[in-house]
Amino acid sequence: MSLSQLVKEHQTKQATQKRETEHLRKEAIQSVGVFSDAVADTLSGRVSQIFVNQKSLEQEARSLSVQTARYAKQTAQWLALVEQFDSALKELGDVQNWVQVIQRDMEQVTNSLESSHREPA
């Protein structure tokens, strides 16, 4: 084999390897691009879902806050009604006690009058 044939054969192999290397490099770049797109799509989908979940949780939190305020107001109204009812019951108890005292006093007056009315006779 001559030197020129060896050089030519070497150049041919080198050109073939260069084409293969360039082809593999392009495939690797394309694969990385596809992989990056897939990862970005997956992450984007997850981020979108997280954003939707966050908005939903914020809406529920606002709704619960409104309901809690409404229940607190209603509870305060009920408490006021119970206090009024309790006061009315106390007043009724006071009136009943007053009526019993008046009734005893009247019975004593009646008994005294009956006793004094019977004595002179």
Side-chain angles (χ1 to χ4, degrees):
M1 237 189 187
S2 72
L3 183 61
S4 65
Q5 284 179 334
L6 284 174
V7 170
K8 198 176 202 181
E9 188 178 307
H10 174 70
Q11 287 175 347
T12 305
K13 283 182 183 180
Q14 215 174 19
T16 303
Q17 282 182 341
K18 190 175 184 179
R19 280 193 305 270
E20 285 180 26
T21 302
E22 186 63 26
H23 176 71
L24 291 174
R25 186 181 71 78
K26 286 180 182 179
E27 283 184 2
I29 290 171
Q30 185 180 8
S31 294
V32 167
V34 169
F35 176 74
S36 295
D37 290 345
V39 168
D41 288 345
T42 300
L43 291 178
S44 177
R46 289 180 182 171
V47 169
S48 295
Q49 185 61 43
I50 289 170
F51 183 73
V52 167
N53 290 348
Q54 180 183 2
K55 289 295 181 185
S56 175
L57 288 173
E58 287 172 356
Q59 180 62 31
E60 286 182 35
R62 283 192 293 274
S63 174
L64 286 174
S65 177
V66 168
Q67 286 179 351
T68 301
R70 187 179 313 135
Y71 291 145
K73 183 178 177 181
Q74 187 176 19
T75 301
Q77 290 173 346
W78 287 348
L79 183 58
L81 285 173
V82 167
E83 287 174 357
Q84 289 174 357
F85 183 70
D86 185 48
S87 177
L89 284 177
K90 285 179 183 177
E91 288 176 13
L92 284 176
D94 290 345
V95 168
Q96 183 180 7
N97 185 39
W98 177 76
V99 167
Q100 288 172 351
V101 168
I102 296 290
Q103 186 177 7
R104 275 194 309 265
D105 289 346
M106 295 306 282
E107 286 175 358
Q108 287 175 357
V109 168
T110 303
N111 289 337
S112 294
L113 286 174
E114 285 177 355
S115 292
S116 68
H117 189 46
R118 286 185 205 151
E119 286 179 13

